[in-house]
Amino acid sequence: MIQQLESTAMWDVLVIGGGATGLGIAVDAATRGYKTLLLEQADFAKGTSSRSTKLIHGGVRYLALGQIKLVLEALKERALLLQNAAHLVKKQVFVVPVYTWKDAFVYFCGLKLYDLLAGTRGLGASTFLSKKETALALPTIKKEGLKGGIRYLDCQFDDSRLAVNLAQTAAENDACILNYAQVTALQQNSEGKIYGVVAQDLETGKTYAPKAKAVINATGVFVDTILRMEQPEAKPLVRPSQGVHLVLDHTFLPGTDALMIPNTSDGRVLFAVPWQGKLLVGTTDTLRNNPELEPRALDKEVAFILETAGSYLVKKPTHKDVLAVFAGLRPLAAHKGNPKESKDISRNYKVILSESSLTTVTGGKWTIYREMAEATLDTLIRARHLTPKPCVTSHFSIHGHTTAAGIDKHMAGYGSDAHAIQQMAAQHPELNTLLHPNYCYTLAEVVWAIRHEMARTVEDVLARRLRLLFLDAAAAAQAAPAVAAILAAEMQRPQIWADEQVQQFRILAAGYRLKPEKVTQQI
Ligand SMILES: Cc1cc2nc3c(=O)[nH]c(=O)nc-3n(C[C@H](O)[C@H](O)[C@H](O)COP(=O)(O)OP(=O)(O)OC[C@H]3O[C@@H](n4cnc5c(N)ncnc54)[C@H](O)[C@@H]3O)c2cc1C
């Protein structure tokens, strides 16, 4: 990739940011046939794109807010993702428990409207469940006063693995995709037009100055930092809104169906979704002032999630039950004025072409990343920055896509790569060793992540190629030395590098557990 960067004099499209938005744009641009470069300052999906609720959904909540257009777009994209990334996107049953007949009526009608909007793209009809059926679907739900439940279908996915697969898809279509390459400045000509960027390879310290016909700012909550490289006084386009998730043992809600609470005590939606053998519970909506790559959950957010989940479940989760906690920042497009509640800020996205020819994409959600990319490239074509070429992504398989049966459950997320990983482990039986006794991850997956998925650090492997950091932060910290040893061998790094990697990762992992001081001592 670095060689490609060094030998290319002019790119058609240069994307800053390797989250859902930037990677989607890189795939769209590369598959249209544009010479494409993507620069990510950390790892792919290090930002918000690994910290979502992991739902590919129309958004029942947006329906309640009357955002019908957004719901329709998302339902279309849900169908396309099921078709193009079948290895990562799965149908998920949700049940809304109801405790009054009024709620039963309102939610049933709302979800029937959701079915109607999905039309032929629907995943199955929403149905009313009796009290007994609801208790069967959600075995640990509070039964007192329960009238029944509404069952509906949406989709679940693995966010950071989809990001990695998008990076691979773009690269397979000749794009140059680099992680740990930070954009530090924009290159402007005497007329103020932006014609490239200055970027630093954070591993070597080397600086590059690639030029492009179109430069796209897809940096999520960091879009204003890039905009200020051009106009130091630029008004903020984005207001970060923090969302926190807690990961609990699946025994808090056994079974395969997810719990959806549409209206919590403060008017939010709360999900408790089975995910990779655990239970993912969230989220919150707290306006923050500054963008951060590693935002931390506030005590009040953790308390809110524990309390709300506890008010619906027979066994109340407490602090000590939390296996991992993670926070992400929604890059919400800020409205005029200064709304106090982030629930009220639009999830819609904007594509903004500045006079200096910098294109900025803000807002949106993971589910509609493909449509956002198409709209961005179409905007650039209309503005005559690029020669017209049609978008092909609506029927384009993402790396790993397969509908083949017979891949075991743990390996299913690798899709068409699963066989090659298993073959490598069969040739080198020592790679069948488990990374941690409580989890199915093997050393073979670590080697694969380094050789084929551009993982460069212990964190890249344990947080975003394998999801152990997000599932069980203590187990991830214990697995760090084994990962560091493989990385050092594969990348020919000295022991001191491996030791530093372990230390840095353990500090990070402590931040994914509650009460970090105690955790540091235990490690
Ligand atoms: C709590 C939460 C739950 C969510 N749940 C869902 C969900 O279930 N379903 C759904 O559809 N959507 C969901 N979303 C929304 C979705 O996650 C986001 O819309 C999406 O991930 C945003 O992607 P992005 O690429 O715009 O931003 P990011 O993922 O943050 O990517 C921006 C990237 O730009 C990089 N960058 C910044 N500055 C530079 C620079 N100078 N040089 C190079 N790179 C740079 C950053 O390192 C970062 O990786 C959720 C969001 C949150 C916060």
Short mmCIF file of all heavy atoms in Angstrom, two decimals, residues 16-23 39-57 157 159 181-184 218-222 225-226 229 241-245 283-284 293 327-331 361 363-368 372, ligand 1:
data_model
loop_
_atom_site.label_atom_id
_atom_site.label_comp_id
_atom_site.label_asym_id
_atom_site.label_seq_id
_atom_site.Cartn_x
_atom_site.Cartn_y
_atom_site.Cartn_z
N ILE A 16 -10.42 11.00 3.68
CA ILE A 16 -9.81 11.11 5.02
C ILE A 16 -10.78 10.44 5.99
O ILE A 16 -11.93 10.87 6.13
CB ILE A 16 -9.58 12.57 5.45
CG1 ILE A 16 -8.99 13.41 4.31
CG2 ILE A 16 -8.72 12.65 6.70
CD1 ILE A 16 -8.94 14.91 4.61
N GLY A 17 -10.33 9.39 6.69
CA GLY A 17 -11.18 8.71 7.68
C GLY A 17 -11.55 7.30 7.24
O GLY A 17 -12.09 7.11 6.15
N GLY A 18 -11.25 6.34 8.10
CA GLY A 18 -11.51 4.92 7.78
C GLY A 18 -12.55 4.31 8.69
O GLY A 18 -12.37 3.22 9.21
N GLY A 19 -13.68 5.03 8.88
CA GLY A 19 -14.84 4.43 9.56
C GLY A 19 -15.83 3.99 8.50
O GLY A 19 -15.50 3.88 7.30
N ALA A 20 -17.08 3.76 8.92
CA ALA A 20 -18.11 3.30 7.99
C ALA A 20 -18.24 4.26 6.80
O ALA A 20 -18.31 3.82 5.64
CB ALA A 20 -19.45 3.21 8.72
N THR A 21 -18.24 5.56 7.08
CA THR A 21 -18.48 6.55 6.02
C THR A 21 -17.33 6.55 5.01
O THR A 21 -17.56 6.42 3.80
CB THR A 21 -18.65 7.96 6.64
OG1 THR A 21 -19.62 7.87 7.68
CG2 THR A 21 -19.09 8.97 5.61
N GLY A 22 -16.10 6.67 5.51
CA GLY A 22 -14.95 6.74 4.61
C GLY A 22 -14.74 5.45 3.83
O GLY A 22 -14.46 5.47 2.62
N LEU A 23 -14.86 4.32 4.51
CA LEU A 23 -14.64 3.04 3.84
C LEU A 23 -15.72 2.80 2.78
O LEU A 23 -15.44 2.28 1.70
CB LEU A 23 -14.62 1.90 4.86
CG LEU A 23 -13.36 1.88 5.75
CD1 LEU A 23 -13.58 1.00 6.98
CD2 LEU A 23 -12.15 1.39 4.96
N LEU A 39 -7.01 7.40 3.85
CA LEU A 39 -6.05 7.56 4.94
C LEU A 39 -6.78 7.56 6.27
O LEU A 39 -7.69 8.38 6.49
CB LEU A 39 -5.28 8.87 4.77
CG LEU A 39 -4.50 9.01 3.45
CD1 LEU A 39 -4.01 10.44 3.25
CD2 LEU A 39 -3.34 8.03 3.39
N GLU A 40 -6.41 6.64 7.16
CA GLU A 40 -7.02 6.55 8.49
C GLU A 40 -5.93 6.78 9.52
O GLU A 40 -4.89 6.13 9.49
CB GLU A 40 -7.68 5.17 8.65
CG GLU A 40 -7.98 4.75 10.08
CD GLU A 40 -8.85 5.72 10.87
OE1 GLU A 40 -9.88 6.16 10.36
OE2 GLU A 40 -8.46 6.06 12.03
N GLN A 41 -6.20 7.68 10.48
CA GLN A 41 -5.15 8.04 11.44
C GLN A 41 -4.85 6.93 12.44
O GLN A 41 -3.75 6.85 12.99
CB GLN A 41 -5.53 9.30 12.20
CG GLN A 41 -6.75 9.13 13.10
CD GLN A 41 -7.07 10.36 13.93
OE1 GLN A 41 -6.33 11.32 13.92
NE2 GLN A 41 -8.17 10.33 14.65
N ALA A 42 -5.83 6.09 12.75
CA ALA A 42 -5.61 5.00 13.71
C ALA A 42 -5.85 3.69 12.96
O ALA A 42 -5.26 3.46 11.93
CB ALA A 42 -6.53 5.18 14.90
N ASP A 43 -6.74 2.87 13.50
CA ASP A 43 -7.09 1.63 12.79
C ASP A 43 -8.47 1.82 12.18
O ASP A 43 -9.26 2.65 12.64
CB ASP A 43 -7.11 0.47 13.80
CG ASP A 43 -7.37 -0.87 13.14
OD1 ASP A 43 -7.03 -1.04 11.95
OD2 ASP A 43 -7.90 -1.77 13.81
N PHE A 44 -8.81 1.00 11.18
CA PHE A 44 -10.15 1.06 10.59
C PHE A 44 -11.17 0.81 11.71
O PHE A 44 -11.01 -0.11 12.50
CB PHE A 44 -10.30 0.01 9.49
CG PHE A 44 -9.19 0.07 8.48
CD1 PHE A 44 -8.35 -1.02 8.27
CD2 PHE A 44 -8.96 1.23 7.76
CE1 PHE A 44 -7.30 -0.94 7.37
CE2 PHE A 44 -7.91 1.32 6.86
CZ PHE A 44 -7.08 0.23 6.66
N ALA A 45 -12.20 1.65 11.75
CA ALA A 45 -13.28 1.54 12.74
C ALA A 45 -12.82 1.77 14.18
O ALA A 45 -13.52 1.42 15.12
CB ALA A 45 -14.00 0.20 12.63
N LYS A 46 -11.65 2.37 14.36
CA LYS A 46 -11.21 2.70 15.73
C LYS A 46 -12.19 3.70 16.37
O LYS A 46 -12.40 3.70 17.58
CB LYS A 46 -9.80 3.30 15.67
CG LYS A 46 -9.36 4.08 16.90
CD LYS A 46 -9.07 3.19 18.08
CE LYS A 46 -8.69 4.02 19.31
NZ LYS A 46 -8.44 3.24 20.50
N GLY A 47 -12.78 4.56 15.55
CA GLY A 47 -13.71 5.57 16.08
C GLY A 47 -15.07 4.97 16.36
O GLY A 47 -15.19 3.83 16.84
N THR A 48 -16.10 5.70 16.02
CA THR A 48 -17.48 5.30 16.33
C THR A 48 -17.86 3.97 15.70
O THR A 48 -18.66 3.22 16.25
CB THR A 48 -18.42 6.41 15.82
OG1 THR A 48 -17.99 7.65 16.39
CG2 THR A 48 -19.85 6.15 16.21
N SER A 49 -17.26 3.65 14.56
CA SER A 49 -17.75 2.52 13.78
C SER A 49 -17.51 1.14 14.39
O SER A 49 -17.99 0.14 13.87
CB SER A 49 -17.16 2.58 12.36
OG SER A 49 -17.64 3.75 11.73
N SER A 50 -16.77 1.05 15.51
CA SER A 50 -16.69 -0.24 16.22
C SER A 50 -17.53 -0.22 17.49
O SER A 50 -17.54 -1.18 18.24
CB SER A 50 -15.23 -0.54 16.59
OG SER A 50 -14.70 0.52 17.35
N ARG A 51 -18.23 0.90 17.74
CA ARG A 51 -18.87 1.09 19.06
C ARG A 51 -20.38 1.22 18.95
O ARG A 51 -21.02 1.82 19.81
CB ARG A 51 -18.28 2.36 19.71
CG ARG A 51 -16.78 2.27 19.92
CD ARG A 51 -16.15 3.66 19.92
NE ARG A 51 -14.70 3.58 19.88
CZ ARG A 51 -13.94 3.44 20.95
NH1 ARG A 51 -14.49 3.42 22.14
NH2 ARG A 51 -12.64 3.37 20.83
N SER A 52 -20.94 0.71 17.87
CA SER A 52 -22.38 0.85 17.64
C SER A 52 -23.16 -0.23 18.39
O SER A 52 -22.56 -1.11 19.02
CB SER A 52 -22.69 0.77 16.15
OG SER A 52 -22.66 -0.57 15.71
N THR A 53 -24.49 -0.18 18.28
CA THR A 53 -25.33 -1.23 18.89
C THR A 53 -25.33 -2.48 18.00
O THR A 53 -25.90 -3.50 18.36
CB THR A 53 -26.77 -0.69 19.09
OG1 THR A 53 -26.69 0.60 19.70
CG2 THR A 53 -27.60 -1.58 20.00
N LYS A 54 -24.69 -2.40 16.88
CA LYS A 54 -24.52 -3.51 15.94
C LYS A 54 -25.84 -3.96 15.31
O LYS A 54 -26.10 -5.14 15.10
CB LYS A 54 -23.81 -4.71 16.62
CG LYS A 54 -22.33 -4.44 16.90
CD LYS A 54 -22.08 -4.44 18.37
CE LYS A 54 -20.72 -4.04 18.85
NZ LYS A 54 -20.13 -2.80 18.46
N LEU A 55 -26.68 -2.96 15.01
CA LEU A 55 -27.96 -3.25 14.36
C LEU A 55 -27.97 -2.66 12.96
O LEU A 55 -27.54 -1.52 12.74
CB LEU A 55 -29.12 -2.65 15.15
CG LEU A 55 -29.24 -3.13 16.61
CD1 LEU A 55 -30.43 -2.46 17.28
CD2 LEU A 55 -29.39 -4.64 16.67
N ILE A 56 -28.43 -3.47 12.02
CA ILE A 56 -28.73 -2.96 10.68
C ILE A 56 -30.24 -2.86 10.68
O ILE A 56 -30.95 -3.87 10.64
CB ILE A 56 -28.21 -3.93 9.60
CG1 ILE A 56 -26.68 -4.01 9.64
CG2 ILE A 56 -28.71 -3.53 8.21
CD1 ILE A 56 -25.93 -2.72 9.31
N HIS A 57 -30.72 -1.65 10.81
CA HIS A 57 -32.16 -1.50 11.07
C HIS A 57 -32.74 -0.25 10.44
O HIS A 57 -32.04 0.73 10.20
CB HIS A 57 -32.42 -1.50 12.59
CG HIS A 57 -31.72 -0.41 13.35
ND1 HIS A 57 -32.10 -0.02 14.60
CD2 HIS A 57 -30.68 0.38 13.02
CE1 HIS A 57 -31.32 0.95 15.02
NE2 HIS A 57 -30.44 1.21 14.08
N PHE A 157 -25.31 -7.13 13.11
CA PHE A 157 -24.06 -7.37 12.37
C PHE A 157 -22.86 -7.16 13.28
O PHE A 157 -23.02 -6.83 14.45
CB PHE A 157 -23.99 -6.46 11.13
CG PHE A 157 -23.62 -5.00 11.41
CD1 PHE A 157 -22.59 -4.38 10.72
CD2 PHE A 157 -24.32 -4.25 12.34
CE1 PHE A 157 -22.26 -3.05 10.95
CE2 PHE A 157 -24.00 -2.90 12.58
CZ PHE A 157 -22.96 -2.33 11.88
N ASP A 159 -19.89 -4.76 13.54
CA ASP A 159 -19.51 -3.48 12.92
C ASP A 159 -18.05 -3.39 12.47
O ASP A 159 -17.77 -3.07 11.31
CB ASP A 159 -19.92 -2.29 13.80
CG ASP A 159 -19.51 -2.41 15.26
OD1 ASP A 159 -18.72 -3.31 15.59
OD2 ASP A 159 -19.98 -1.59 16.08
N ALA A 181 -2.20 6.36 9.20
CA ALA A 181 -1.75 7.44 8.32
C ALA A 181 -2.62 8.66 8.61
O ALA A 181 -3.79 8.69 8.23
CB ALA A 181 -1.88 7.03 6.86
N GLN A 182 -2.05 9.61 9.33
CA GLN A 182 -2.86 10.75 9.81
C GLN A 182 -2.72 11.97 8.90
O GLN A 182 -1.59 12.37 8.58
CB GLN A 182 -2.40 11.13 11.22
CG GLN A 182 -3.23 12.24 11.83
CD GLN A 182 -2.84 12.51 13.26
OE1 GLN A 182 -1.64 12.52 13.59
NE2 GLN A 182 -3.81 12.72 14.11
N VAL A 183 -3.85 12.52 8.53
CA VAL A 183 -3.82 13.77 7.74
C VAL A 183 -3.56 14.92 8.71
O VAL A 183 -4.27 15.10 9.70
CB VAL A 183 -5.15 13.95 6.98
CG1 VAL A 183 -5.23 15.34 6.36
CG2 VAL A 183 -5.28 12.88 5.90
N THR A 184 -2.50 15.69 8.42
CA THR A 184 -2.11 16.77 9.33
C THR A 184 -2.36 18.15 8.73
O THR A 184 -2.35 19.15 9.44
CB THR A 184 -0.61 16.65 9.69
OG1 THR A 184 0.12 16.59 8.45
CG2 THR A 184 -0.32 15.40 10.50
N ALA A 218 -14.25 12.52 5.74
CA ALA A 218 -15.22 11.56 6.29
C ALA A 218 -14.73 11.13 7.67
O ALA A 218 -14.57 9.95 7.96
CB ALA A 218 -15.34 10.35 5.37
N THR A 219 -14.49 12.12 8.53
CA THR A 219 -13.82 11.83 9.79
C THR A 219 -14.77 11.81 10.99
O THR A 219 -14.35 11.99 12.13
CB THR A 219 -12.68 12.85 10.04
OG1 THR A 219 -13.21 14.17 9.92
CG2 THR A 219 -11.55 12.68 9.05
N GLY A 220 -16.04 11.57 10.75
CA GLY A 220 -16.99 11.40 11.85
C GLY A 220 -17.03 12.60 12.76
O GLY A 220 -17.21 13.73 12.30
N VAL A 221 -16.84 12.37 14.06
CA VAL A 221 -16.91 13.50 15.00
C VAL A 221 -15.71 14.44 14.85
O VAL A 221 -15.68 15.49 15.48
CB VAL A 221 -17.01 13.02 16.48
CG1 VAL A 221 -18.38 12.46 16.79
CG2 VAL A 221 -15.92 12.03 16.83
N PHE A 222 -14.74 14.07 14.00
CA PHE A 222 -13.56 14.93 13.81
C PHE A 222 -13.66 15.83 12.58
O PHE A 222 -12.69 16.49 12.22
CB PHE A 222 -12.29 14.07 13.69
CG PHE A 222 -12.00 13.26 14.92
CD1 PHE A 222 -12.48 11.97 15.07
CD2 PHE A 222 -11.26 13.80 15.97
CE1 PHE A 222 -12.24 11.23 16.21
CE2 PHE A 222 -11.00 13.07 17.11
CZ PHE A 222 -11.49 11.78 17.24
N THR A 225 -12.31 19.35 12.90
CA THR A 225 -10.85 19.50 13.00
C THR A 225 -10.25 19.64 11.60
O THR A 225 -9.37 20.47 11.36
CB THR A 225 -10.24 18.26 13.70
OG1 THR A 225 -11.02 17.96 14.83
CG2 THR A 225 -8.80 18.48 14.09
N ILE A 226 -10.75 18.83 10.65
CA ILE A 226 -10.24 18.92 9.27
C ILE A 226 -10.69 20.24 8.64
O ILE A 226 -9.89 20.93 7.99
CB ILE A 226 -10.76 17.72 8.43
CG1 ILE A 226 -10.34 16.38 9.05
CG2 ILE A 226 -10.31 17.84 6.95
CD1 ILE A 226 -8.88 16.05 9.01
N MET A 229 -8.58 23.10 9.39
CA MET A 229 -7.26 23.17 8.72
C MET A 229 -7.37 24.15 7.54
O MET A 229 -6.41 24.75 7.12
CB MET A 229 -6.86 21.79 8.18
CG MET A 229 -6.52 20.80 9.26
SD MET A 229 -6.14 19.18 8.53
CE MET A 229 -5.87 18.21 10.00
N SER A 241 -22.56 13.10 20.26
CA SER A 241 -23.50 12.61 21.26
C SER A 241 -23.04 11.22 21.68
O SER A 241 -22.90 10.33 20.84
CB SER A 241 -24.90 12.55 20.66
OG SER A 241 -25.69 11.71 21.47
N GLN A 242 -22.78 11.05 22.95
CA GLN A 242 -22.19 9.80 23.43
C GLN A 242 -23.25 8.73 23.67
O GLN A 242 -24.30 8.99 24.23
CB GLN A 242 -21.42 10.06 24.72
CG GLN A 242 -20.82 8.81 25.34
CD GLN A 242 -19.66 9.13 26.26
OE1 GLN A 242 -18.63 9.65 25.82
NE2 GLN A 242 -19.82 8.84 27.53
N GLY A 243 -22.92 7.53 23.25
CA GLY A 243 -23.77 6.37 23.53
C GLY A 243 -22.92 5.30 24.20
O GLY A 243 -21.81 5.01 23.74
N VAL A 244 -23.43 4.75 25.31
CA VAL A 244 -22.67 3.76 26.08
C VAL A 244 -23.36 2.41 26.00
O VAL A 244 -24.59 2.33 25.96
CB VAL A 244 -22.55 4.25 27.55
CG1 VAL A 244 -22.12 3.14 28.49
CG2 VAL A 244 -21.59 5.42 27.62
N HIS A 245 -22.57 1.34 25.96
CA HIS A 245 -23.10 -0.03 26.04
C HIS A 245 -22.41 -0.78 27.17
O HIS A 245 -21.21 -0.60 27.38
CB HIS A 245 -22.82 -0.80 24.74
CG HIS A 245 -23.62 -0.32 23.59
ND1 HIS A 245 -23.17 0.63 22.71
CD2 HIS A 245 -24.86 -0.66 23.16
CE1 HIS A 245 -24.09 0.86 21.80
NE2 HIS A 245 -25.13 0.10 22.05
N THR A 283 -28.66 1.94 24.66
CA THR A 283 -27.54 2.83 24.83
C THR A 283 -28.02 4.14 25.45
O THR A 283 -29.20 4.25 25.79
CB THR A 283 -26.83 3.08 23.48
OG1 THR A 283 -25.77 4.01 23.64
CG2 THR A 283 -27.77 3.55 22.42
N THR A 284 -27.14 5.10 25.51
CA THR A 284 -27.48 6.41 26.07
C THR A 284 -27.32 7.47 24.98
O THR A 284 -26.88 7.17 23.87
CB THR A 284 -26.54 6.74 27.24
OG1 THR A 284 -25.20 6.55 26.78
CG2 THR A 284 -26.79 5.82 28.42
N LEU A 293 -11.13 9.92 20.50
CA LEU A 293 -11.04 8.58 19.91
C LEU A 293 -11.39 7.50 20.93
O LEU A 293 -11.83 6.42 20.57
CB LEU A 293 -9.63 8.32 19.39
CG LEU A 293 -9.39 8.49 17.90
CD1 LEU A 293 -8.00 8.01 17.52
CD2 LEU A 293 -10.43 7.79 17.03
N ALA A 327 -17.92 3.17 24.98
CA ALA A 327 -18.67 4.38 24.61
C ALA A 327 -18.29 4.76 23.19
O ALA A 327 -17.17 4.54 22.74
CB ALA A 327 -18.31 5.51 25.56
N GLY A 328 -19.26 5.33 22.47
CA GLY A 328 -18.99 5.82 21.12
C GLY A 328 -19.64 7.18 20.95
O GLY A 328 -20.58 7.52 21.67
N LEU A 329 -19.12 7.95 20.00
CA LEU A 329 -19.68 9.29 19.77
C LEU A 329 -20.39 9.33 18.43
O LEU A 329 -19.79 9.04 17.40
CB LEU A 329 -18.56 10.34 19.80
CG LEU A 329 -17.83 10.48 21.14
CD1 LEU A 329 -16.70 11.50 21.02
CD2 LEU A 329 -18.77 10.88 22.27
N ARG A 330 -21.67 9.67 18.46
CA ARG A 330 -22.43 9.82 17.21
C ARG A 330 -22.05 11.15 16.56
O ARG A 330 -22.11 12.18 17.23
CB ARG A 330 -23.93 9.84 17.49
CG ARG A 330 -24.48 8.57 18.04
CD ARG A 330 -25.98 8.69 18.32
NE ARG A 330 -26.45 7.49 18.97
CZ ARG A 330 -26.41 7.29 20.28
NH1 ARG A 330 -25.94 8.22 21.07
NH2 ARG A 330 -26.84 6.17 20.80
N PRO A 331 -21.68 11.09 15.29
CA PRO A 331 -21.36 12.36 14.62
C PRO A 331 -22.66 12.99 14.13
O PRO A 331 -22.98 12.97 12.95
CB PRO A 331 -20.48 11.91 13.46
CG PRO A 331 -20.93 10.50 13.16
CD PRO A 331 -21.53 9.93 14.41
N VAL A 361 -18.67 14.91 4.70
CA VAL A 361 -19.87 14.10 4.91
C VAL A 361 -20.08 13.97 6.41
O VAL A 361 -19.17 13.55 7.13
CB VAL A 361 -19.72 12.69 4.30
CG1 VAL A 361 -21.05 11.96 4.30
CG2 VAL A 361 -19.16 12.76 2.89
N GLY A 363 -22.92 13.03 9.83
CA GLY A 363 -24.16 12.40 10.28
C GLY A 363 -24.34 10.99 9.72
O GLY A 363 -23.37 10.32 9.38
N GLY A 364 -25.60 10.56 9.62
CA GLY A 364 -25.92 9.24 9.09
C GLY A 364 -25.82 8.13 10.11
O GLY A 364 -25.74 8.38 11.31
N LYS A 365 -25.83 6.91 9.64
CA LYS A 365 -25.63 5.75 10.51
C LYS A 365 -25.03 4.60 9.70
O LYS A 365 -25.01 4.66 8.47
CB LYS A 365 -26.93 5.36 11.20
CG LYS A 365 -28.15 5.19 10.32
CD LYS A 365 -29.38 4.98 11.19
CE LYS A 365 -30.38 4.10 10.50
NZ LYS A 365 -31.22 3.35 11.39
N TRP A 366 -24.56 3.59 10.42
CA TRP A 366 -23.88 2.46 9.77
C TRP A 366 -24.78 1.87 8.67
O TRP A 366 -24.35 1.60 7.55
CB TRP A 366 -23.58 1.37 10.79
CG TRP A 366 -22.16 1.01 10.99
CD1 TRP A 366 -21.47 1.06 12.16
CD2 TRP A 366 -21.22 0.48 10.01
NE1 TRP A 366 -20.18 0.61 11.98
CE2 TRP A 366 -20.01 0.26 10.67
CE3 TRP A 366 -21.30 0.20 8.65
CZ2 TRP A 366 -18.87 -0.26 10.02
CZ3 TRP A 366 -20.17 -0.30 7.99
CH2 TRP A 366 -18.97 -0.52 8.67
N THR A 367 -26.06 1.66 9.01
CA THR A 367 -26.98 0.98 8.10
C THR A 367 -26.99 1.60 6.70
O THR A 367 -27.11 0.88 5.71
CB THR A 367 -28.41 1.01 8.69
OG1 THR A 367 -28.35 0.48 10.02
CG2 THR A 367 -29.39 0.22 7.86
N ILE A 368 -26.84 2.92 6.63
CA ILE A 368 -26.99 3.58 5.32
C ILE A 368 -25.64 4.04 4.75
O ILE A 368 -25.59 4.91 3.89
CB ILE A 368 -27.99 4.76 5.39
CG1 ILE A 368 -27.58 5.77 6.47
CG2 ILE A 368 -29.40 4.27 5.62
CD1 ILE A 368 -28.33 7.11 6.35
N MET A 372 -24.93 6.70 1.60
CA MET A 372 -24.18 7.94 1.85
C MET A 372 -23.01 8.05 0.86
O MET A 372 -22.71 9.12 0.34
CB MET A 372 -23.65 7.96 3.29
CG MET A 372 -24.73 8.09 4.34
SD MET A 372 -24.15 7.71 6.00
CE MET A 372 -23.00 9.05 6.32
C1 LIG B 1 -23.59 4.33 20.65
C2 LIG B 1 -23.85 4.26 19.19
C3 LIG B 1 -24.66 3.26 18.69
C4 LIG B 1 -24.92 3.20 17.33
N1 LIG B 1 -25.64 2.15 16.85
C5 LIG B 1 -25.89 2.05 15.54
C6 LIG B 1 -26.57 0.93 15.04
O1 LIG B 1 -26.92 0.01 15.77
N2 LIG B 1 -26.82 0.90 13.71
C7 LIG B 1 -26.43 1.90 12.87
O2 LIG B 1 -26.76 1.81 11.69
N3 LIG B 1 -25.73 2.95 13.30
C8 LIG B 1 -25.43 3.05 14.61
N4 LIG B 1 -24.70 4.08 15.09
C9 LIG B 1 -24.19 5.10 14.15
C10 LIG B 1 -22.91 4.63 13.44
O3 LIG B 1 -22.09 3.90 14.31
C11 LIG B 1 -22.16 5.86 12.93
O4 LIG B 1 -23.03 6.63 12.14
C12 LIG B 1 -20.94 5.49 12.07
O5 LIG B 1 -20.16 4.52 12.69
C13 LIG B 1 -20.13 6.73 11.80
O6 LIG B 1 -19.04 6.37 10.99
P1 LIG B 1 -18.00 7.47 10.50
O7 LIG B 1 -17.11 6.80 9.53
O8 LIG B 1 -18.73 8.68 10.03
O9 LIG B 1 -17.20 7.89 11.81
P2 LIG B 1 -16.02 7.10 12.56
O10 LIG B 1 -16.29 5.66 12.66
O11 LIG B 1 -15.75 7.82 13.83
O12 LIG B 1 -14.78 7.26 11.58
C14 LIG B 1 -14.06 8.45 11.42
C15 LIG B 1 -12.60 8.08 11.30
O13 LIG B 1 -11.86 9.24 10.91
C16 LIG B 1 -10.56 9.09 11.45
N5 LIG B 1 -9.87 10.37 11.45
C17 LIG B 1 -10.16 11.46 12.19
N6 LIG B 1 -9.27 12.44 11.95
C18 LIG B 1 -8.38 11.95 11.02
C19 LIG B 1 -7.21 12.49 10.38
N7 LIG B 1 -6.75 13.72 10.65
N8 LIG B 1 -6.56 11.70 9.48
C20 LIG B 1 -7.00 10.44 9.19
N9 LIG B 1 -8.08 9.89 9.80
C21 LIG B 1 -8.77 10.64 10.69
C22 LIG B 1 -10.84 8.56 12.86
O14 LIG B 1 -9.70 7.95 13.44
C23 LIG B 1 -12.00 7.61 12.62
O15 LIG B 1 -11.58 6.26 12.49
C24 LIG B 1 -24.40 4.17 16.46
C25 LIG B 1 -23.57 5.18 16.96
C26 LIG B 1 -23.29 5.21 18.32
C27 LIG B 1 -22.39 6.25 18.86
#
